Amino acid sequence: MTIVFNATVNETEVSGQIISQFGTYLEELSDGKITLNVYWGGTVYDDATQFQAIRDGAVDMISINPMQDSSYLPYLSCMSVYGTGSAENVLNLFKALEFENEETAEIIQAEAAEYNLKYLNVLANGVDALYSTFEWDTLEEFMSGSSCVGSGDTGIFKLMGMNVSDVTPSEVYDALQRGICDSTNCALSAAYSMSWDEVASNIVIDGLWAAGNNFTINIDFWNTLSEGQQQIIQEAADRASDYSLELQNEMESTMIEEMESRSDMTIKYLSDEDSLEYYGYLFTSSVENSLNQVSGDEDATAKIVTILEFVSDYLGYDWEYEG
């Protein structure tokens, strides 16, 4: 059996390596009877079209991005993709949220099923950082020193009172170089692959880690499989989740060393106090966006509050719904 997997990333990217490893696990666990055929680089279905493709069964699997498809999946995406503590802590948070906690998992998986989808795992996406063309050390200096932030989580920066220019990640390098924006944020691995350090002289690890992309399978396809095939695919997906954490941890120190060497800079770290304040902006922005999206729908609001309460309790963040 061959599984058709649509990937909007390239094989050499971090996410691409995880997908390739998933294919290796499938072949190992099935003695070569299950293989993966990957459409790389969004050449068949891109970010804008792959959701409909997996829903309709044009492909068997994708790696879904909660924020990319937030209009379809308000419950999956309501807490952004970030958390605090460590990469492992954040990955475990989203595993608990989506699979282990009965109350929240039922909400999120039922939402997926409405679109003919089933989530198999959640992946670690690595540490986040802030990138600037000017020097700063504290969050206050970042907020006051930036004239315009591009790309990244623009809702957070607007809440922080900063000017925002909507620049796509692929345009950030040019935007920073030309002065269209002077700062942004992104996962370190993505910025590394796009060489943002060449045009951003100040990079600060902000104390947040991301986890959120899900290997997602079409339910109609899933239901055609034998119990043994389902078990193999699920185990391969679980191993891919563990592999994503191992890969991100291994790459983090290597990427920092290489970026510092090739751009002659020292990557800094936000203080614990500033990291907590920054996460507060993110949490507040996520709450506002999520609740506004379902405004007037009492049932949907209650479900989102349930998810937000679980996340805040898990991370030890003080939040209480005031609606």
Side-chain angles (χ1 to χ4, degrees), residues 111-154:
E111 176 183 60
E114 290 180 6
Y115 292 99
N116 202 26
L117 308 178
K118 176 180 174 63
Y119 303 133
L120 298 179
N121 67 7
V122 61
L123 305 178
N125 291 348
V127 71
D128 189 68
L130 295 160
Y131 311 84
S132 306
T133 59
F134 62 97
E135 289 294 320
W136 60 273
D137 294 293
T138 67
L139 190 62
E140 182 180 358
E141 291 173 347
F142 171 71
M143 294 166 64
S144 62
S146 175
S147 60
C148 186
V149 184
S151 187
D153 293 279
T154 54

Side-chain angles (χ1 to χ4, degrees), residues 11 92 135 156 167 175 177 220 239 254 308 319:
E11 192 171 1
N92 287 338
E135 289 294 320
I156 303 173
V167 179
Q177 189 174 49
D220 290 338
R239 290 190 184 186
T254 301
L308 294 173
W319 178 76

